[in-house]
């Protein structure tokens, strides 16, 4: 029994010895690799520490730079915020001013509309006034023309009255002379006249204004410069002459106050009647 245990122990010792030898070989093998790895790791660690130191320096620089930039940006932000606040204030004031300006604009627009309406009303009144002034001027011109016409007629009437007064004086002298002749012949001028009384043909002189043929060109009509105001009456016969030459006898067919028209009696014609030839009641 003791031998078996001894053998087992020997075998176990041998196994453990082998295991320990394997373990020692493994440890030795791993020890060399571990050193290399440790050295490499140390180098990497040193390099990493250097990089970390550099990164920390860069970090400090960046931190300082970023802090400065942050300060600058913060200052700029504060400045911008103050500026924005100022702009907001200016915007509010501008909005207020715009609102006031819109109110003023609306007020001015209303005033402008009222002014335009008043202007249109004034323009209408002006046009009406101009039309009325034109009408009054036309009436005034017409009145002036009528007044001038009346003045001319008045002058003509005054001349006619003066001429009629002169004729009246001549007629009164002739009547007085005729009454004296009647009394010398023992005739009472107050006795009534029996039968038609022929018209008294006065001495009338004038001239030919125009000579023309009638519409059928069968007779010649002569317009003369004397009329009823001069003693010419319808059916009166007058003589047309030039210098001392007899031209024709005309019979009055139309009579006007200042002119008359006579028909040439062809049986008496001895020449051509022209403008400015003389006419008379006696030859």
């Amino acid at each position: 029994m003791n031998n078996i245990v001894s053998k087992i122990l020997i075998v176990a010792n041998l196994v453990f010895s082998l295991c320990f030898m394997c373990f020692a070989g493994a440890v030795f093998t791993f020890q060399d690799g571990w050193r290399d790895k440790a050295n490499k790791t140390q180098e990497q660690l040193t390099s990493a520490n250097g990089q970390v130191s550099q990164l920390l320096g860069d970090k400090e620089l960046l931190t300082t730079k970023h802090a400065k930039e942050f300060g600058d940006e913060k200052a700029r932000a504060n400045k911008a915020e103050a500026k924005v606040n100022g702009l907001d204030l200016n915007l509010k004031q501008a909005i207020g001013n715009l609102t006031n300006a819109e109110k003023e604009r609306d007020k001015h627009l209303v005033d402008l509309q009222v002014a335009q309406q008043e202007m249109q009303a004034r323009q209408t009144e002006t046009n009406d006034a101009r039309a009325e002034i034109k009408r009054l001027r036309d009436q005034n011109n017409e009145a002036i023309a009528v007044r001038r016409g009346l003045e001319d007629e008045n002058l003509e009437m005054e001349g006619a009255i003066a001429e009629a007064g002169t004729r009246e004086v001549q007629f009164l002298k002739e009547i007085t002379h005729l009454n004296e002749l009647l009394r010398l012949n023992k005739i009472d001028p107050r006795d009534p006249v029996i039968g038609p009384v022929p018209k008294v043909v006065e001495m009338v002189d004038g001239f030919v204004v125009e000579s023309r043929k009638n519409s059928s060109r069968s007779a010649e009509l002569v317009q003369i410069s004397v009329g009823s105001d001069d003693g010419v009456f319808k059916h009166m016969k007058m003589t047309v002459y030039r210098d001392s030459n007899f031209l024709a006898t005309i019979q009055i067919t139309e009579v006007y106050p200042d002119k008359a028209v006579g028909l040439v009696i062809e049986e008496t014609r001895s020449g051509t009647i022209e403008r400015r030839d003389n006419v008379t009641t006696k030859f």
Side-chain angles (χ1 to χ4, degrees):
M1 184 71 179
N2 291 328
N3 291 326
I4 295 170
V5 174
S6 298
K7 290 179 180 179
I8 293 171
L9 290 174
I10 291 170
V11 172
N13 189 12
L14 180 61
V15 171
F16 284 121
S17 296
L18 291 173
C19 291
F20 180 75
M21 288 176 64
C22 292
F23 179 73
V27 167
F28 180 78
T29 302
F30 281 109
Q31 183 178 5
D32 291 335
W34 178 81
R35 284 180 182 178
D36 294 335
K37 290 181 179 180
N39 292 330
K40 291 181 181 179
T41 302
Q42 184 65 36
E43 291 176 359
Q44 291 177 355
L45 180 61
T46 303
S47 177
N49 288 332
Q51 291 179 359
V52 168
S53 298
Q54 186 177 358
L55 291 174
L56 288 175
D58 295 339
K59 177 184 177 183
E60 290 179 359
L61 292 175
L62 290 174
T63 301
T64 304
K65 183 179 179 181
H66 289 163
K68 183 179 178 181
E69 291 179 354
F70 178 76
D72 294 339
E73 293 296 329
K74 187 175 182 180
R76 291 175 59 186
N78 293 330
K79 185 176 179 180
E81 186 176 1
K83 188 174 181 180
V84 168
N85 292 330
L87 292 174
D88 289 338
L89 181 60
N90 293 333
L91 180 60
K92 291 179 180 178
Q93 292 179 353
I95 292 173
N97 294 331
L98 179 61
T99 303
N100 294 330
E102 289 178 349
K103 291 181 181 178
E104 290 293 330
R105 181 200 62 188
D106 295 338
K107 181 180 179 182
H108 288 314
L109 287 176
V110 173
D111 295 338
L112 179 61
Q113 290 177 353
V114 173
Q116 287 178 347
Q117 292 176 357
E118 291 180 354
M119 181 187 69
Q120 290 177 354
R122 297 292 181 274
Q123 187 174 4
T124 302
E125 292 177 358
T126 302
N127 293 333
D128 295 340
R130 287 178 180 173
E132 183 66 17
I133 290 172
K134 184 179 182 300
R135 186 180 66 81
L136 293 175
R137 284 180 179 173
D138 294 339
Q139 289 182 354
N140 187 30
N141 293 333
E142 292 177 358
I144 291 173
V146 171
R147 186 191 69 184
R148 290 177 179 174
L150 292 175
E151 289 177 352
D152 294 339
E153 291 180 1
N154 187 30
L155 291 175
E156 292 178 358
M157 293 178 66
E158 288 179 355
I161 290 171
E163 186 178 356
T166 303
R167 285 186 178 181
E168 183 180 7
V169 173
Q170 293 177 355
F171 289 156
L172 289 175
K173 290 180 180 179
E174 291 179 1
I175 289 171
T176 302
H177 179 66
L178 291 174
N179 287 334
E180 290 176 355
L181 290 176
L182 290 173
R183 289 191 182 94
L184 288 175
N185 290 286
K186 297 180 180 180
I187 299 174
D188 189 356
R190 292 173 294 180
D191 291 342
V193 178
I194 301 174
V197 179
K199 289 186 178 181
V200 178
V201 179
E202 301 178 3
M203 183 66 180
V204 180
D205 292 319
F207 59 88
V208 176
V209 176
E210 183 183 3
S211 176
R212 57 184 175 84
K213 294 289 185 178
N214 61 0
S215 58
S216 61
R217 305 188 66 81
S218 60
E220 185 176 4
L221 299 174
V222 178
Q223 180 180 337
I224 60 177
S225 62
V226 290
S228 59
D229 292 344
D230 304 298
V232 178
F233 53 86
K234 201 171 184 179
H235 303 302
M236 175 188 282
K237 290 184 179 181
M238 300 185 72
T239 301
V240 183
Y241 67 96
R242 185 183 305 126
D243 297 331
S244 60
N245 298 321
F246 173 81
L247 297 177
T249 299
I250 62 173
Q251 186 173 7
I252 303 301
T253 58
E254 298 179 16
V255 182
Y256 304 95
D258 57 349
K259 63 182 178 179
V261 178
L263 177 65
V264 177
I265 302 175
E266 294 295 335
E267 292 81 4
T268 63
R269 183 190 293 274
S270 63
T272 303
I273 298 174
E274 298 178 356
R275 189 171 179 270
R276 305 299 297 180
D277 287 341
N278 298 309
V279 293
T280 183
T281 53
K282 295 181 181 179
F283 187 76

